[in-house]
Amino acid sequence: MTSRNPWVYAACQAGGWGLYTLMNVLLALVTPSMEGGAPLHRVVLLCTIGSLVGVCVTHLARSRLNLREWVRLPMRALAVRVVGASLGLGAVQTLLAFLAFYPFIASPFSASHPHIQLVGFLYPLTIWTLVMFMWLLIYCTVHFIHHARTVELERWKLEAAAQSAELRFLKSQLQPHFLFNCLNSTRALITEDPQRAQEVVTRLSSLLRYALASREPETVSLERELQVVRDYLGLEGVRLDERLRVREDVAPEALGAPVPAMLVQTLVENAIKHGIARMPEGGEVTLSAHVREGALCLEVTNTAAPASTPPAPHSSGVGLHNASERLRLLCGAGASLQLDQSQAATTTARVRIPLPA
């Protein structure tokens, strides 16, 4: 019954008012006294005229009152509007019906037609008010169901978009070239150092399991996040060997702080990708986490590559942008992620997460 389905609306109007006409005719046949013993063709004519007037009144009400928007109102406001509109439309319908009946009767208010005398105006007014109330009730119910379905559909679309974003996020964390490098390194280690090859496979398995399970829950303790970061650094250590040096400075009271899953891993991956891996001599990655003034202060610092060094491949900045957005959504507006490149020798990613009181 929306403007995008005019034929459905027209069919409902024709069907509803046609059924109303038929019911009135049948009722007049069963109880002839209601129409003063009028002939059948006259009864049919008057009932048809009344229904046609009703079609016009309800159609004008639909276009003038913007009824489709009423379903968005609170229930009390909607009920008040429906009752008020029923009274108004009932009065208009009654007046128009009298005028339409006039050519077929001697006088709308004559003594020969007591059922439509002025004093009997309240009777048809009550009937038409009830008819309009039923029409509005059906119309609003249909649109309420349509509105609820639309809202539900939009919610499904939002959930699908969120899941798609999560999938893209996971893909951004586990780049294929990283996996290929790990697998190639493992293949080389199988004959040279089988024990270390087993360790690499274990770390890779742990990292994959953590990444795939990071959708639920959204946040994890810093201690749990650091476990997967160490697995990741262990894998990168196989590839970079002595070029990668790692230092941790994590306060014990910071280990229980909640952080978005994969946040620290993303920062460390970014530090290696854009810093250590670009330099032949490698560099150092420092992880520090402390609790200060009711907030977790986390820093990931890496040796900065010289400005003349070619940029890392696939440097789109999507990883840090995603991490910043997730941090804001999960930890509130008080949380922040800043990349400090003011020092020529180092690059530092600083994260501040307010802790629950």
Side-chain angles (χ1 to χ4, degrees):
M1 291 176 67
T2 68
S3 58
R4 286 173 288 185
N5 300 301
W7 291 108
V8 176
Y9 166 73
C12 290
Q13 281 281 72
W17 284 107
L19 182 62
Y20 176 77
T21 303
L22 180 61
M23 289 177 60
N24 277 332
V25 172
L26 293 177
L27 191 61
L29 290 176
V30 174
T31 55
S33 58
M34 289 186 60
E35 298 295 333
L40 178 61
H41 71 278
R42 190 181 186 88
V43 173
V44 173
L45 179 62
L46 293 178
C47 291
T48 303
I49 291 174
S51 294
L52 289 176
V53 174
V55 170
C56 296
V57 170
T58 53
H59 183 70
L60 287 175
R62 172 178 175 265
S63 60
R64 297 296 181 183
L65 299 180
N66 199 13
L67 299 179
R68 287 190 294 274
E69 297 300 322
W70 286 17
V71 297
R72 302 176 189 275
L73 296 173
M75 191 56 66
R76 177 175 293 182
L78 176 62
V80 170
R81 289 203 179 194
V82 168
V83 172
S86 300
L87 286 170
L89 294 177
V92 172
Q93 169 73 13
T94 303
L95 289 174
L96 293 178
F98 277 174
L99 295 176
F101 292 161
Y102 185 79
F104 305 97
I105 55 181
S107 171
F109 309 118
S110 69
S112 60
H113 298 84
H115 60 291
I116 57 174
Q117 288 182 37
L118 183 59
V119 292
F121 182 81
L122 291 179
Y123 173 72
L125 173 63
T126 302
I127 298 298
W128 283 115
T129 297
L130 290 176
V131 171
M132 292 300 168
F133 178 77
M134 291 301 298
W135 188 92
L136 287 169
L137 192 63
I138 294 172
Y139 189 91
C140 290
T141 300
V142 171
H143 276 278
F144 182 82
I145 295 173
H146 180 267
H147 177 68
R149 291 178 59 186
T150 302
V151 171
E152 185 70 10
L153 182 62
E154 290 177 351
R155 187 177 67 82
W156 288 347
K157 288 181 178 178
L158 287 175
E159 288 182 356
Q163 291 179 357
S164 177
E166 288 176 352
L167 183 59
R168 289 197 300 271
F169 171 75
L170 292 176
K171 287 181 177 178
S172 71
Q173 305 309 311
L174 295 175
Q175 295 290 347
H177 73 270
F178 170 75
L179 294 176
F180 294 153
N181 288 336
C182 287
L183 293 174
N184 289 330
S185 300
T186 305
R187 184 185 62 180
L189 285 172
I190 289 175
T191 55
E192 297 175 4
D193 190 345
Q195 186 174 356
R196 195 178 180 192
Q198 290 181 354
E199 180 186 348
V200 169
V201 171
T202 301
R203 288 181 181 274
L204 181 59
S205 173
S206 177
L207 182 62
L208 288 172
R209 184 185 302 111
Y210 182 83
L212 294 175
S214 61
R215 289 176 57 188
E216 294 291 345
E218 293 284 1
T219 60
V220 297
S221 67
L222 178 62
E223 184 176 17
R224 178 73 184 93
E225 177 77 0
L226 289 179
Q227 290 175 3
V228 75
V229 168
R230 291 174 186 131
D231 287 332
Y232 173 76
L233 288 171
L235 293 173
E236 289 288 15
V238 173
R239 180 170 67 96
L240 299 172
D241 203 6
E242 295 180 353
R243 294 170 58 203
L244 174 63
R245 298 177 292 281
V246 179
R247 189 163 59 90
E248 281 191 25
D249 178 21
V250 180
E253 63 270 20
L255 292 175
V259 297
M262 305 295 287
L263 173 67
V264 184
Q265 195 275 339
T266 299
L267 300 181
V268 171
E269 179 185 351
N270 194 69
I272 293 176
K273 179 179 179 181
H274 298 283
I276 311 303
R278 295 171 58 195
M279 297 180 292
E281 68 278 15
E284 182 178 271
V285 174
T286 302
L287 267 170
S288 69
H290 298 273
V291 176
R292 300 191 186 98
E293 300 177 353
L296 172 66
C297 299
L298 178 70
E299 291 186 357
V300 177
T301 303
N302 64 273
T303 306
S308 58
T309 306
H314 311 295
S315 303
S316 61
V318 173
L320 278 183
H321 176 75
N322 286 344
S324 180
E325 283 298 301
R326 292 185 73 235
L327 184 65
R328 182 180 61 81
L329 292 173
L330 294 175
C331 302
S336 63
L337 167 58
Q338 296 177 336
L339 191 64
D340 182 2
Q341 295 178 303
S342 59
Q343 303 295 321
T346 59
T347 299
T348 302
R350 292 192 176 89
V351 175
R352 184 181 183 279
I353 300 176
L355 298 177

